[in-house]
Amino acid sequence: MTAEKSCDPSVNEMLQIAKKKGISTVWDRYRAQLPQCGFGESGLCCRNCVMGPCRIDPFGDGPDKGICGATADTIVARNLNRYIAAGAASHSGHAKHLAHVLKKVSAGKAADYSVRDEAKLVAVARRLGFETGGLTVSEVAGRVADAALAEFSEREEPLAWVESTLTGGRLAKFKELGVMPSGIDAAISEILQRTTMGVDADPVNNLLGGIKGSLADYAGCHLGTDLSDILFGTPMPVFSEANMGVLKEKFVNIALHGHNPVVSEMILAAAKEDAVLDQAKEAGAEGINLVGICCTGNELLMRHGVQALTHSVSQEMPILTGALDAIIVDYQCVYPSLTTVAQCYGTKVVTTMGIAKIPGAVHVEIDEENALVKAREIIALAIERFKARKDAPTFIPDVKSSVVAGFSTEAIVGALAKLNAQNPLKPLIDSIIDGNIQGVVLFAGCNNVKVPQDSNYLAMVKELAKRDVLMLATGCGAGALARHGFLTPEATEEYAGPGLKAVLTAIGMANGLGKPLPPVLHIGSCVDNSRAVDIAVALANTLGVDIKELPVAASAPEYMHEKAIAIGTWAISLGIPTHLGVVPPVVGSSLVTSVLTQGAEDILGGYFIVETDPVKAAEALFAVIQKRRGGLNLATRAW
Ligand code: BF8
Ligand code: SF4
């Protein structure tokens, strides 16, 4: 029964408790929704004006047009665009927040924050074409922050974070298609306009608008990565652990959840202060144990080795241990149900952002000007809850895996430089050419209640690893693989094919690890999918080809969020074939479906592969890699 819900043993342990106590979880609420609306599932429901809602009968028995005359193709394309706009608003809202922090840092107005990575600041400034000689760190930070903020509104020229980070071939393609965004917010607002009643009824033109919106999302993601690295440090390899076994009964356990390191970095800083620790000890705790959920967790894991508690669909579960004293959230992917479950246990749910409040939570607003003071206040709430529960029994599953994370682009290049200091990419390129590495697949995205948690990731990684495919992972996908021990040298020993194992061992040994690198490199949170692009662009430029010719692919095997749809769309636009393990809500239009899964290949080089069977999906991605190897005149292999 529970295996249908999750492959994670600690989640299944918690589900038993939920059942015993009659606590409703995401899986119960999913069941209550079944059967889900077929019109919504196929993208055929339009609510874009109040003459509606309108729905198109996919079987041709009912209406074939909305009241205004919009067809199935129009409605499906418009709905897809709105997902993309919402995804882009989320990623870029996160980036804009960071840009404001950097701006305040440069003006001396956010004393708790600083530029922790000056080298990255200078690298980003130079990439944008700024002279940095003779300028102070604050001055350079101010210019980068201004350039970042200027990305949002309408400008006369294309987005700097698109133009300065992609291959010439991609930029030429986007100009040819007229999809280069000239402002992130402008692109989002353009989608909202063109999809209102009576504007863009042409489905293909709408899809081009969606591509433009997705490129705005890409810019937001890349900005998010760059600015986080500048403010909080560029990740370098770290060792840590993942899963609910990281909770400690005798500690004040605090989970940090959401996306933006702006809040969680302050909680981390406050938790290290002697006075705060003393407060915890006075309450009878041995210390403060910070752990991460979802992408905030990824940000902390990547930069500080903070242990990962759980991800995405299982975010309610750690509360059932009784040992979680507080969940501090910023925004995005936070289930409102957390407060309902928390009420049964006394766990404090603390919201921190004005745009993201939850009924039943305590709200402590964190501004850049008061961040540390507020962080201390929030930790005090967690300590208070610890005091109340310290003599009560806890049920912490004895389940955790070790993890190696922290593979920023800089960290990967640094590790490769130990093999070839002059030309760090050469060992990787040589391995792809000689076939020890067949290609590279990026795993991204979420868990989705419609898929047994983690099952698709696990099956696909096993299939691809044994066929010598190197993998990267972000977001809750990386989290899934972390919880199941796939981000370890031991996983390379167990699952990698001989070629991949040899390469990862050579890199691991050259870096003093004494063991291979993991078969899947954790490159960060969901905005950090931009790191995968940086690697692909560097490979393409070194080889003198475009991204659409590289033996690379992506997979979102259990995605659910609008952000993931935006990322998937820019991935195919960048020329990366992208697998979706959950059927997207577009099947109500055969035109839109065929453009996204077939036509896009001719136009963009990338396209979606929709496959719910993970082994078949892995086979499809391997076939993509082989086709592209053939295109580069490299030796190919059968499945
Ligand atoms: O931005 S993978 S569930 S946490 S949307 Fe959300 Fe999905 Fe997780 Fe990260 Ni990405
Ligand atoms: Fe119906 Fe057209 Fe209004 Fe959509 S925009 S709800 S299809 S009338």
Side-chain angles (χ1 to χ4, degrees):
M1 174 74 185
T2 47
E4 291 164 19
K5 296 178 179 169
S6 179
C7 297
D8 182 332
S10 72
V11 172
N12 287 323
E13 215 174 308
M14 292 302 102
L15 282 173
Q16 298 303 327
I17 296 180
K19 196 171 166 195
K20 235 183 271 162
K21 295 203 162 196
I23 291 173
S24 140
T25 70
V26 65
W27 286 280
D28 300 313
R29 295 189 299 274
Y30 173 54
R31 204 169 39 224
Q33 287 290 339
L34 294 176
Q36 287 176 297
C37 171
F39 297 101
E41 271 185 333
S42 52
L44 284 170
C45 170
C46 181
R47 296 182 300 116
N48 294 8
C49 89
V50 185
M51 292 198 286
C54 299
R55 46 194 200 179
I56 308 293
D57 190 310
F59 306 110
D61 296 333
D64 63 353
K65 287 193 178 66
I67 295 167
C68 66
T71 62
D73 297 333
T74 305
I75 291 173
V76 168
R78 287 195 312 211
N79 286 341
L80 176 65
N81 275 4
R82 288 194 167 205
Y83 282 121
I84 293 169
S90 303
H91 286 135
S92 68
H94 165 165
K96 197 191 282 175
H97 187 173
L98 288 158
H100 281 296
V101 175
L102 187 63
K103 177 79 183 161
K104 285 184 185 165
V105 166
S106 73
K109 287 185 192 158
D112 300 332
Y113 296 89
S114 60
V115 169
R116 286 207 204 134
D117 192 338
E118 291 177 17
K120 180 98 184 201
L121 173 68
V122 170
V124 172
R126 295 218 174 119
R127 201 184 66 211
L128 294 168
F130 299 153
E131 284 298 328
T132 54
L135 297 184
T136 64
V137 171
S138 293
E139 285 166 341
V140 181
R143 291 204 185 171
V144 170
D146 286 340
L149 290 168
E151 291 287 86
F152 286 89
S153 55
E154 187 80 54
R155 354 164 327 133
E156 294 302 320
E157 63 281 354
L159 291 174
W161 259 266
V162 173
E163 274 223 305
S164 67
T165 61
L166 295 178
T167 56
R170 284 296 93 186
L171 298 178
K173 173 56 78 179
F174 299 149
K175 282 179 190 153
E176 174 199 324
L177 294 173
V179 296
M180 273 294 248
S182 54
I184 296 173
D185 288 349
I188 295 165
S189 127
E190 183 182 287
I191 287 183
L192 290 180
Q193 187 205 358
R194 80 192 300 157
T195 56
T196 55
M197 203 284 282
V199 185
D200 197 355
D202 180 334
V204 173
N205 201 43
N206 256 297
L207 292 178
L208 289 169
I211 291 171
K212 189 178 189 181
S214 80
L215 293 176
D217 182 83
Y218 165 74
C221 288
H222 211 300
L223 260 169
T225 300
D226 285 343
L227 301 185
S228 296
D229 285 356
I230 289 169
L231 285 164
F232 305 114
T234 301
M236 287 293 142
V238 282
F239 295 89
S240 187
E241 290 175 320
N243 218 333
M244 284 183 237
V246 303
L247 291 172
K248 297 178 185 165
E249 184 179 4
K250 296 193 184 315
F251 282 63
V252 179
N253 291 300
I254 301 176
L256 294 148
H257 183 8
H259 282 79
N260 201 328
V262 164
V263 170
S264 53
E265 285 276 346
M266 288 301 114
I267 306 285
L268 183 65
K272 286 182 182 160
E273 291 177 345
D274 289 342
V276 174
L277 262 179
D278 287 347
Q279 221 181 319
K281 288 187 178 156
E282 275 160 33
E286 288 181 13
I288 297 174
N289 183 32
L290 292 188
V291 294
I293 299 179
C294 286
C295 280
T296 283
N298 282 323
E299 300 277 353
L300 292 170
L301 167 66
M302 291 286 286
R303 293 198 177 82
H304 305 285
V306 169
Q307 294 162 313
L309 179 61
T310 200
H311 305 89
S312 198
V313 82
S314 52
Q315 59 185 271
E316 299 161 311
M317 296 295 111
I319 300 172
L320 303 171
T321 62
L324 191 55
D325 297 302
I327 305 182
I328 303 168
V329 310
D330 46 86
Y331 40 52
Q332 300 171 23
C333 304
V334 178
Y335 289 176
S337 64
L338 289 182
T339 51
T340 316
V341 183
Q343 268 156 17
C344 308
Y345 286 87
T347 302
K348 310 268 185 190
V349 178
V350 185
T351 52
T352 56
M353 294 284 120
I355 61 157
K357 298 187 178 181
I358 303 174
V362 183
H363 186 76
V364 183
E365 184 87 16
I366 294 204
D367 296 321
E368 291 77 58
E369 290 82 359
N370 66 10
L372 257 181
V373 172
K374 292 290 169 182
R376 291 180 198 122
E377 214 175 278
I378 294 172
I379 294 176
L381 291 171
I383 293 172
E384 196 182 292
R385 193 276 174 169
F386 172 84
K387 233 194 234 172
R389 70 96 179 158
K390 70 177 179 216
D391 300 319
T394 59
F395 304 91
I396 301 172
D398 186 18
V399 181
K400 60 181 175 182
S401 299
S402 51
V403 174
V404 188
F407 291 99
S408 60
T409 313
E410 291 84 345
I412 292 173
V413 171
L416 290 167
K418 293 274 164 49
L419 294 175
N420 185 335
Q422 265 70 49
N423 187 353
L425 286 180
K426 194 166 184 297
L428 180 57
I429 288 175
D430 287 348
S431 303
I432 293 173
I433 290 174
D434 66 25
N436 278 334
I437 293 178
Q438 288 288 300
V440 184
V441 167
L442 165 68
F443 281 94
C446 330
N447 292 130
N448 183 318
V449 71
K450 295 176 179 176
V451 178
Q453 186 184 20
D454 308 334
S455 59
N456 284 353
Y457 289 105
L458 303 184
M460 290 182 73
V461 164
K462 283 181 200 162
E463 293 296 330
L464 292 170
K466 74 176 173 212
R467 292 178 174 84
D468 295 319
V469 174
L470 176 65
M471 288 163 283
L472 310 174
T474 56
C476 294
L481 295 164
R483 279 180 285 105
H484 292 275
F486 281 80
L487 308 187
T488 58
E490 292 68 31
T492 300
E493 305 283 6
E494 191 173 346
Y495 299 108
L500 181 62
K501 196 181 290 180
V503 177
L504 293 173
T505 304
I507 303 171
M509 299 309 272
N511 283 273
L513 194 61
K515 291 174 180 176
L517 292 187
V520 188
L521 303 180
H522 189 334
I523 63 169
S525 65
C526 292
V527 294
D528 294 335
N529 283 305
S530 68
R531 301 191 199 275
V533 177
D534 289 347
I535 295 164
V537 168
L539 285 177
N541 286 339
T542 310
L543 284 167
V545 300
D546 198 2
I547 305 172
K548 71 179 169 64
E549 293 161 81
L550 293 175
V552 299
S555 172
E558 302 181 22
Y559 77 100
M560 60 85 193
H561 206 282
E562 290 164 309
K563 291 179 287 177
I565 295 178
I567 290 173
T569 308
W570 63 247
I572 67 162
S573 306
L574 263 48
I576 303 169
T578 299
H579 161 246
L580 301 175
V582 179
V583 179
V586 299
V587 293
S589 164
S590 51
L591 175 74
V592 171
T593 304
S594 77
V595 170
L596 294 176
T597 57
Q598 292 159 32
E601 184 174 12
D602 294 333
I603 309 165
L604 300 164
Y607 55 98
F608 284 117
I609 299 161
V610 180
E611 177 55 70
T612 55
D613 178 317
V615 176
K616 284 187 191 154
E619 189 173 353
L621 294 182
F622 193 73
V624 164
I625 285 172
Q626 296 308 320
K627 189 174 165 197
R628 292 201 169 179
R629 290 184 63 85
L632 293 170
N633 290 321
L634 303 177
T636 58
R637 277 192 205 164
W639 172 249

